[in-house]
Amino acid sequence: MSHVSAPTRRVTTATLAALRERGEPAVWITAYDYPTAVFADRAGADVLLVGDSAAMTMLGHESTTSITMDEMLVFTRAVCRGAKRALVIGDMPFLSYQPSNARAIRNAGAFVAAGCGAVKLEGGLRVAPRVRAIADAGIAVMGHLGLTPQSLGQLGGYRVQGKTLAAAQCLLDDALALQNAGAFAVLLEAIPAETAAFIRERVDLLVYGIGAGPHVDGQLVIAHDVLGSFVGDIAPRFVRRYAEVGAVTEQAIRDYAADVRAFRFPAPEHCYPIDDEDAAEFRAALRPRIEVAS
Ligand code: KIV
């Protein structure tokens, strides 16, 4: 009998299609660093999105538009090192794809070189040429519609999108433009469940949601939101907190600081022992010398 365990099979876009076929929702979570990627992968997440939300969650910027390709690639390589099974998707940051098809292909390719299985970009009809160019380069690409944080200025802030049938129809037009351009999926953010269902019924894309209700092919959450470690003022309605990592971290550092200041840390068990003979020599060497004045 062999004791060699079977290699872990990497989640691919085909795996995601198979999940949808079986009516099983895919589990997505953002990850920006090696430990989170390892924990999420071990916990069975199907997709790790290296979101440009890293600008806010990891770098303390006010919006996602401040993060650069170089910064995104540092986070992405760390996540790819940690993910053994999950599909890693790289989120194309602001101005990494908007200016030209050539730039879009080059930057999407950089995410693939870093280890990603796909890339995501924001928009529908207006980015369809970029989606087509990236898909034609052989890279799996998906869109992101609804509340698209890279166009926060145009949207007038963090506001729910697609609340009327007319607005839902516009989102559907965008989703169809992505589909026709060769995207494999679309992510819907901050829209009513009815709007998401309306779109999902009418497209052949895989449809995922963050704040888009249950009638989609899987759910994305921001790791810092569900772990309770986001430092900032945004508290979307769609977040459920599963832990208080921020509070636990702060308390642990307070306890450590108190122990240092009260000389409770380090304790004997944190110090390296030496032989008794060597200890005696140290004691003798440390004995205060009596200086004789001449
Ligand atoms: O950057 C990100 O994490 C995202 C989600 C907010 C959808 O794009």
Side-chain angles (χ1 to χ4, degrees), residues 30 32 49 51-53 91 120 122 144 187 189 210 220 222:
T30 63
Y32 318 99
L49 174 71
D52 64 353
S53 49
D91 199 11
K120 169 173 94 59
E122 293 186 8
H144 175 173
L187 175 73
E189 178 169 354
I210 173 165
L220 167 70
I222 305 272

Side-chain angles (χ1 to χ4, degrees), residues 45-258:
D46 300 303
V47 179
L48 304 186
L49 174 71
V50 188
D52 64 353
S53 49
M56 299 165 77
T57 56
M58 300 295 287
L59 300 179
H61 290 297
E62 278 202 359
S63 80
T64 61
T65 52
S66 309
I67 199 161
T68 65
M69 248 329 269
D70 285 347
E71 288 168 329
M72 284 299 296
L73 288 175
V74 172
F75 292 126
T76 302
R77 290 190 198 102
V79 170
C80 290
R81 280 191 287 273
K84 301 290 175 252
R85 173 186 169 273
L87 170 67
V88 180
I89 298 186
D91 199 11
M92 300 193 67
F94 186 53
L95 297 189
S96 70
Y97 57 95
Q98 289 93 339
S100 69
N101 285 353
R103 192 182 292 196
I105 296 170
R106 200 167 41 246
N107 286 325
F111 277 110
V112 173
C116 289
V119 296
K120 169 173 94 59
L121 47 73
E122 293 186 8
L125 201 52
R126 66 185 178 186
V127 296
R130 305 291 177 265
V131 170
R132 168 53 64 203
I134 293 169
D136 282 350
I139 298 169
V141 52
M142 64 179 289
H144 175 173
L145 298 173
L147 200 177
T148 44
Q150 288 177 16
S151 10
L152 218 53
Q154 285 181 329
L155 299 178
Y158 291 98
R159 306 160 80 99
V160 182
Q161 303 295 308
K163 287 175 81 172
T164 63
L165 187 56
Q169 185 61 53
C170 289
L171 289 174
L172 174 60
D173 292 344
D174 276 328
L176 289 170
L178 292 170
Q179 178 177 311
N180 294 334
F184 75 97
V186 64
L187 175 73
L188 303 175
E189 178 169 354
I191 63 171
E194 290 80 356
T195 305
F198 175 83
I199 294 167
R200 183 172 176 264
E201 268 178 20
R202 290 165 176 77
V203 296
D204 292 329
L205 297 164
L206 295 167
V207 179
Y208 299 101
I210 173 165
H215 312 302
V216 287
D217 299 313
Q219 299 292 333
L220 167 70
V221 289
I222 305 272
H224 288 62
D225 286 343
V226 293
L227 297 177
S229 56
F230 179 62
V231 182
D233 298 329
I234 307 163
R237 175 191 174 91
F238 56 75
V239 171
R240 179 184 283 172
R241 259 158 109 126
Y242 288 84
E244 296 298 338
V245 169
V248 169
T249 303
E250 188 173 324
Q251 190 54 50
I253 295 171
R254 275 185 205 288
D255 292 347
Y256 155 70

